[in-house]
Structures are given as C-alpha cells and as structure tokens.
Amino acid sequence: MALPVFPVQLPVPDLGPWLGGNLLPGVWSFEAASPGPHVALISLIHGNEIAGALLLARWLREGLRPLRGRLTLVFANLDAFARFDPTDPTLSRFVDEDLNRVWDERVLLGPRRSSELARARALRPLMDGVDVLLDLHSMLWPSDPLILAGDTPDARALGLRLGVPGLVVADQGHSTGRRLIDCAAFARLGRAALLVEGGQHWQPATFEVLEASATALLRHTGLLPASTAPATPPGRLAEVTRTVTATTHGFAFVQDFRGGQVIPARNTLLALDGEQEIRTPHDNCLLVMPTPRALRGHTAVRLARLVDEAGHS
C-alpha cells in the first residue's frame, strides 16, 4: 500500500560548503578559550530528515561559536541525504540500513559491512569525547513533538530541565538495534544523550521546534548566553510500559491515532496484529509515535504512563 503524500514545505539544505568538515567529512567542531562541556548536535541520522540539517547549516553560515567548551555539529548520513528527492522524499532515509539501529558495540566491532556502519564506525571515536548530545529528528506520521531520553537518569533529568519539547519519554529503544542515544559512551555517569522528535518531516513548525530545543540546550550548557526571556516550564515525564513490535505484515490500528494522544481506559483496543489484539495495559495510556504502516519486526507504537513531579504514575 502506497504511503500518503506528505508535502515538503522546507527548502532542501545546501550542504555544499559544509561537506568537508574540519574534523571529519560533514563534521565541524569548534573549541572556546574557556573550559566547558563538549556538546554535539547531530542531524541527518536519517537522510530525509532535513530540518535539523537546515538548522546546523544556518548556524555554520552565521559563524556560531561556543562561549565555552566545545561545540560539534554533525551531518551524519551524507550518502543517504545525497539521494534526497523532494518529489519522493521517503526513499532517502538510509542507503543500506538504518543508521539509528547500529550503535551496539558488537555490531560496530563486528564483520558486517554497510554504508551506514562505515559512517557509524567513523563517528564512534568522536562520541567518546562528547558530554552532551542532542540528536535532531522528525517524524513521518502526525505526532506531538517529544524528547526521547532512553533509560539513563542523567538524560531524563536534562530533558526535563530543557522543557522543549515539553514531553520527555523514557524508553528502552527498539528491538531492531541500538540508537545513537543508547550508545555505550552515553551510559557513563555525567553524560547525557537526547533525541528530539520535532514534529512531522518537512514542516516549518518542526524546524522551529528543533531550533528552540537546540538553543535551549546550548544555553543550558553555557555554550550560548543565557536567555533573558521567562524560564520555560520544566517538561513532563512519561515512562514506556510496553513497546509493541509488529509480528505480522497485517498489523493495523483500529482507528487513526495520533502520537501524544492519551487513551483514558485500560484494555482499550488499539490494533490488530494478525489475530492478536493490542490493548492499552493501563488507564491514561500515552501513545508514543504510532506507525500505521509498521513492518513485521519493527516498532508499531510505544505505550507509556505519565509520571508526576513526585515520581508517581
């Protein structure tokens, strides 16, 4: 079944001036005179998610430099982005495999070969020196913006302090492979890696969310001056209670759900996976990034429980 048409309402970024990098191809790193953390902003983990690349290209063009510490800007999957076609924008997500599923040490050190693994292996040493990472993403299907914080306390705390977007989801990742934010480098005490999903691909509002989130991070870490605007309220935490992986090619939701939607009642029917019913495991169940066309073996939706300030569900 063909995907719906999602119009590309953002300009395709011109990365020509930035392909060479000053550290690695597509990687620019700048160190301030004053000491501070090493912060990395990552774009184009998926070659068709251009909003983050637009932001980093604009900041490079404007000559953004950190007040302290080190700032690294990364255009990750350049080979996939080179194939981006606004008339068929979903085809350039990756070349051989998903670059956001290969960050397991056994995979990185193993014998398998692919375009994405070659790039991950080139970037992996850089990750060892990064204190704080923000991975800039967007979504194909309609969903409220959110921050994915994985399962480390430092990442959860950082996401909540940023408050942009306002929802922080603590999760265990995907069964199909480890994301960049799950990389062993960020499991160490005092380090944090976040993934921000700014909204739907190719929408101006998504660019604005990514810009606000990245700016908030740079201000929080002291790489940019503090804002004089009123403080952003802290985010709200949700903990994933179940990750639903499609086990058949016939996985189908029973209605059009939107990411961020809260289902009030436990045991509400959400989807059919062949003959298996997928139901909400608890009251006030938050739907995290439901994927109507989930392939067998891939995440179809994550189900989460909102947590209040006292840590109660």
Side-chain angles (χ1 to χ4, degrees):
M1 186 181 298
L3 291 172
V5 175
F6 296 107
V8 177
Q9 297 182 6
L10 290 173
V12 179
D14 177 12
L15 300 189
W18 317 117
L19 294 177
N22 67 354
L23 186 64
L24 293 167
V27 179
W28 293 83
S29 196
F30 307 100
E31 187 168 13
S34 300
H38 182 180
V39 178
L41 304 179
I42 314 294
S43 69
L44 292 180
I45 283 286
H46 297 129
N48 64 337
E49 298 182 14
I50 62 174
L54 270 173
L55 175 63
L56 300 193
R58 193 191 78 188
W59 279 351
L60 284 167
R61 190 169 61 249
E62 293 173 349
L64 178 70
R65 297 294 185 269
L67 291 178
R68 67 183 190 118
R70 177 178 287 274
L71 174 62
T72 298
L73 309 177
V74 179
F75 303 103
N77 200 335
L78 293 173
D79 289 344
F81 171 72
R83 302 180 175 193
F84 183 75
D85 181 353
T87 66
D88 202 350
T90 61
L91 293 182
S92 55
R93 181 176 171 86
F94 53 79
V95 176
D96 297 317
E97 61 179 318
D98 192 331
L99 181 55
N100 216 28
R101 301 292 185 272
V102 301
W103 294 91
D104 185 282
E105 293 298 299
R106 291 170 297 179
V107 174
L108 292 171
L109 297 174
R112 203 169 83 221
R113 297 289 181 267
S114 71
S115 174
E116 278 71 25
L117 268 170
R119 183 59 164 166
R121 287 165 179 151
L123 292 173
R124 177 62 181 84
L126 170 66
M127 298 301 117
D128 281 330
V130 172
D131 299 302
V132 180
L133 177 141
L134 187 64
D135 193 4
L136 305 171
H137 284 254
S138 54
M139 300 174 273
L140 179 62
W141 302 99
S143 181
D144 295 341
L146 55 89
I147 292 172
L148 292 172
D151 62 356
T152 65
D154 287 335
R156 294 185 191 194
L158 176 61
L160 291 171
R161 285 195 295 270
L162 293 183
V164 186
L167 176 65
V168 178
V169 176
D171 72 338
Q172 301 293 321
H174 300 275
S175 62
T176 47
R178 292 177 71 84
R179 302 165 299 191
L180 175 57
I181 64 169
D182 305 319
C183 182
F186 302 112
R188 302 170 193 167
L189 188 65
R191 296 190 177 189
L194 300 173
L195 187 161
V196 57
E197 296 279 7
Q200 272 193 285
H201 298 328
W202 319 309
Q203 299 297 308
T206 299
F207 175 89
E208 293 168 5
V209 170
L210 295 182
E211 180 182 23
S213 187
T215 301
L217 178 69
L218 295 182
R219 286 175 173 161
H220 173 77
T221 53
L223 272 68
L224 286 182
S227 174
T228 58
T232 302
R236 190 173 187 191
L237 178 66
E239 295 180 337
V240 170
T241 55
R242 180 184 177 190
T243 298
V244 178
T245 301
T247 61
T248 72
H249 289 302
F251 187 99
F253 288 98
V254 297
Q255 67 182 72
D256 291 333
F257 292 111
R258 177 184 176 87
Q261 186 173 346
V262 175
I263 308 301
R266 176 184 179 275
N267 207 36
T268 299
L269 181 64
L270 297 176
L272 297 174
D273 190 4
E275 296 182 354
Q276 179 185 7
E277 293 184 345
I278 307 299
R279 294 180 176 270
T280 52
H282 46 76
D283 292 343
N284 298 320
C285 184
L286 175 73
L287 305 186
V288 179
M289 296 176 62
T291 303
R293 307 286 174 82
L295 300 175
R296 183 174 64 182
H298 290 256
T299 301
V301 65
R302 280 159 281 189
L303 308 178
R305 178 183 282 120
L306 290 163
V307 178
D308 64 23
E309 293 180 358
H312 302 127
S313 300

